[in-house]
Amino acid sequence: MDQITNESLIRLEALLSDFVNHDIKAEQNEIIQLIAKTGLSCFIWDQLKILLCFKLQQAIESYEFPSEIIQQKIIEIQKIIQNSKSEPLSLQRFCELILSPRDFYSGPLKLINALEKLTSVWSQNQTYSQDQFLQQIQLIIQKNQLQQQQENNQITNETTNQQIISAL
């Protein structure tokens, strides 16, 4: 997922379209990983929301014995997602949480409460065409490279200053 091209997006879109058996493959997980990493999506929302609902269920089931109350809350969240007409602004955070729930929350109740809060502010997000998506990804990459370069320069300057002080 390091190099994002038109071909890789077409492959991911095909995987999303193939998600009819409700069995998430590693490649389909890439779709959620890409959104979690970038906050951007060029995928068809009506297909993506099915994948997200299923991944949400998997995330909760990764905890032992989710209670009946939690199962009811999952159904409520899934209804919100299914009834939404477009992606939410909080889609990136939603994807982060369902990808690695245990990295953020020790128990299913804390996770479900966070997901409930995210869906309670479900407002519209921009969906990009593939070209716009690739342009946005390039901007993110350039920004990250510039930030890394600035950090490296700062480290170099600090090292040089320490050497000068030591020499005095």
Side-chain angles (χ1 to χ4, degrees), residues 8-121:
S8 63
L9 287 175
I10 291 169
R11 181 182 60 81
L12 290 174
E13 283 180 338
L15 286 167
L16 184 58
S17 297
D18 289 344
F19 182 71
V20 291
N21 297 336
H22 296 291
D23 182 25
I24 295 180
K25 298 177 180 123
E27 296 89 1
Q28 289 160 329
N29 234 8
E30 278 185 58
I31 295 167
I32 299 172
Q33 290 171 344
L34 182 62
I35 296 168
K37 185 176 181 179
T38 65
L40 305 172
S41 174
C42 64
F43 304 104
I44 298 169
W45 175 240
D46 286 338
Q47 294 173 352
L48 181 60
K49 63 186 175 182
I50 295 168
L51 179 64
L52 294 175
C53 285
F54 188 75
K55 187 65 178 176
L56 164 63
Q57 185 71 37
Q58 278 189 338
I60 294 297
E61 289 173 355
S62 72
Y63 296 96
E64 291 184 24
F65 312 114
S67 70
E68 213 171 291
I69 293 170
I70 292 173
Q71 290 295 340
Q72 185 58 41
K73 289 183 175 198
I74 292 170
I75 292 169
E76 291 170 14
I77 292 171
Q78 288 173 331
K79 283 180 184 176
I80 291 170
I81 294 169
Q82 289 296 330
N83 292 330
S84 65
K85 303 288 184 224
S86 63
E87 327 177 334
L89 289 172
S90 56
L91 182 61
Q92 181 176 17
R93 182 66 177 153
F94 190 90
C95 288
E96 290 170 351
L97 292 178
I98 63 174
L99 272 176
S100 305
R102 290 179 178 272
D103 289 352
F104 300 100
Y105 297 103
S106 58
L109 187 58
K110 290 181 180 184
L111 173 64
I112 205 71
N113 286 337
L115 294 169
E116 271 187 319
K117 287 179 184 176
L118 288 174
T119 56
S120 70
V121 292

